């Protein structure tokens, strides 16, 4: 009963499927292959009708792997902004806030395009707290952020002035109310969407701890909510070890 579909994953991770088109793309900076994959996935959700069920498998990494630039923007524009935000040390929440407002799929737009079909989202979360609007930039989740938040984050991490003019113009149009905001939680386009978190940080921690114990180590989970710059946290881990 699965009619077909498209899957995007990062290079070296694709597998052949009978009914699904599998495309490999760039991560963490989006590329042309990811753009093609976003187009194919967009075609599928656009074609869904009221009797269809869109089974959407979402994991961390989807923000980069599913680039669908908003009207008037190019892939190069998104690449420059993504790279600059990463170099500026922006956390995933700040980066994805910006991504959602430069996209035709993120920030609930995928669910909007799939309506009135039912959408079942099975999530592998890489976000502390499993915030559905942050994981993969929330393609099927309502978005609490607005264009002014995206502009603020770009300024906060020193990206605003160096960003392509088309990006700044697009953000400013949104702030001025000339471009529609991302769908809010509970809005009509999201009425037939359901999310289920299939695995997350705690799932991985429990599995790692159980495996270590089975190998004879005295293992313990110290925290499930560690945040910080990876280089600094690496030093912390080394000192604990």
């Amino acid at each position: 009963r699965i009619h077909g579909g498209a899957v995007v994953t990062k290079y070296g991770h694709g597998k052949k499927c009978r009914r699904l088109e599998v495309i490999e793309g760039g991560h963490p900076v989006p590329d042309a292959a990811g753009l093609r994959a976003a187009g194919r996935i967009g075609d599928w959700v656009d074609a869904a009708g009221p009797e269809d069920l869109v089974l959407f498998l979402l994991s961390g990494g989807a923000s980069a792997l599913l680039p669908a630039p908003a009207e008037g923007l190019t892939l190069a524009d998104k690449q420059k902004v993504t790279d600059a935000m990463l170099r500026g040390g922006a956390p995933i929440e700040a980066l994805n806030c910006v991504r959602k407002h430069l996209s035709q799929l993120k920030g609930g737009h995928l669910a909007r395009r799939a309506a009135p079909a039912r959408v079942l989202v099975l999530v592998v979360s890489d976000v502390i707290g499993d915030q559905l609007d942050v994981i993969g930039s929330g393609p099927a989740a309502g978005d609490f952020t607005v264009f002014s938040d995206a502009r603020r984050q770009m300024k906060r991490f020193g990206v605003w002035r160096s960003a392509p003019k088309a990006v700044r113009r697009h953000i400013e149009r949104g702030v001025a109310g000339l471009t529609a905001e991302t769908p809010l939680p509970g809005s009509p386009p999201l009425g037939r969407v359901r999310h289920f978190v299939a695995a997350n940080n705690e799932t991985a921690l429990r599995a790692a701890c159980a495996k270590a114990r089975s190998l004879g180590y005295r293992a313990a989970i110290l925290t499930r909510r560690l945040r910080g710059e990876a280089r600094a946290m690496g030093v912390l881990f080394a000192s604990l070890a």
Side-chain angles (χ1 to χ4, degrees):
R1 296 177 63 183
I2 296 177
H3 182 60
V7 175
V8 58
T9 186
K10 65 181 183 179
Y11 293 114
H13 289 70
K15 301 290 184 182
K16 288 186 177 181
C17 295
R18 284 184 296 166
R19 293 187 180 89
L20 304 177
E21 178 184 5
V22 180
I23 303 168
E24 295 183 345
H27 178 279
V29 178
D31 65 4
L35 185 65
R36 181 168 69 88
R40 295 292 297 126
I41 290 172
D43 290 341
W44 278 105
V45 296
D46 288 342
E51 300 303 316
D52 292 323
L53 170 65
V54 176
L55 185 60
F56 183 39
L57 311 179
L58 176 66
S59 71
S63 295
L65 291 167
L66 205 62
E71 186 175 353
L73 303 181
T74 66
L75 176 62
D77 292 332
K78 294 195 72 174
Q79 287 172 326
K80 289 177 182 177
V81 172
T82 299
D83 185 60
M85 291 288 288
L86 288 169
R87 291 178 181 276
I92 192 67
E93 292 86 354
L95 178 58
N96 286 3
C97 170
V98 173
R99 283 165 158 167
K100 284 186 281 191
H101 290 88
L102 303 179
S103 176
Q104 296 184 49
L105 285 176
K106 300 176 178 66
H109 285 309
L110 182 143
R112 177 184 58 78
R113 291 172 61 173
R118 290 181 298 143
V119 180
L120 175 60
V121 190
L122 302 181
V123 183
V124 177
S125 169
D126 66 336
V127 174
I128 299 296
D130 302 335
Q131 297 167 256
L132 298 177
D133 60 320
V134 177
I135 303 165
S137 297
D143 182 24
F144 290 100
T145 68
V146 294
F147 277 101
S148 59
D149 294 318
R151 181 178 63 182
R152 177 172 54 82
Q153 295 292 3
M154 291 177 70
K155 289 183 176 181
R156 175 186 173 192
F157 293 98
V159 174
W160 181 253
R161 289 187 178 181
S162 62
K165 289 182 179 180
V167 170
R168 283 180 283 151
R169 183 166 58 247
H170 176 76
I171 296 290
E172 292 289 14
R173 283 180 58 83
V175 173
L178 301 176
T179 299
E181 290 283 1
T182 48
L184 283 167
S187 58
L190 307 178
R192 302 193 75 191
V193 179
R194 297 292 179 269
H195 285 79
F196 293 93
V197 177
N200 57 12
N201 182 53
E202 183 166 353
T203 308
L205 286 170
R206 288 183 180 277
C209 189
K211 181 64 176 180
R213 287 172 178 170
S214 74
L215 296 173
Y217 292 97
R218 291 176 298 186
I221 298 173
L222 298 183
T223 178
R224 296 174 175 83
R225 305 193 65 83
L226 183 69
R227 291 173 179 265
E229 169 60 44
R231 285 168 292 194
M233 293 302 100
V235 173
L236 173 62
F237 286 154
S239 65
L240 289 172

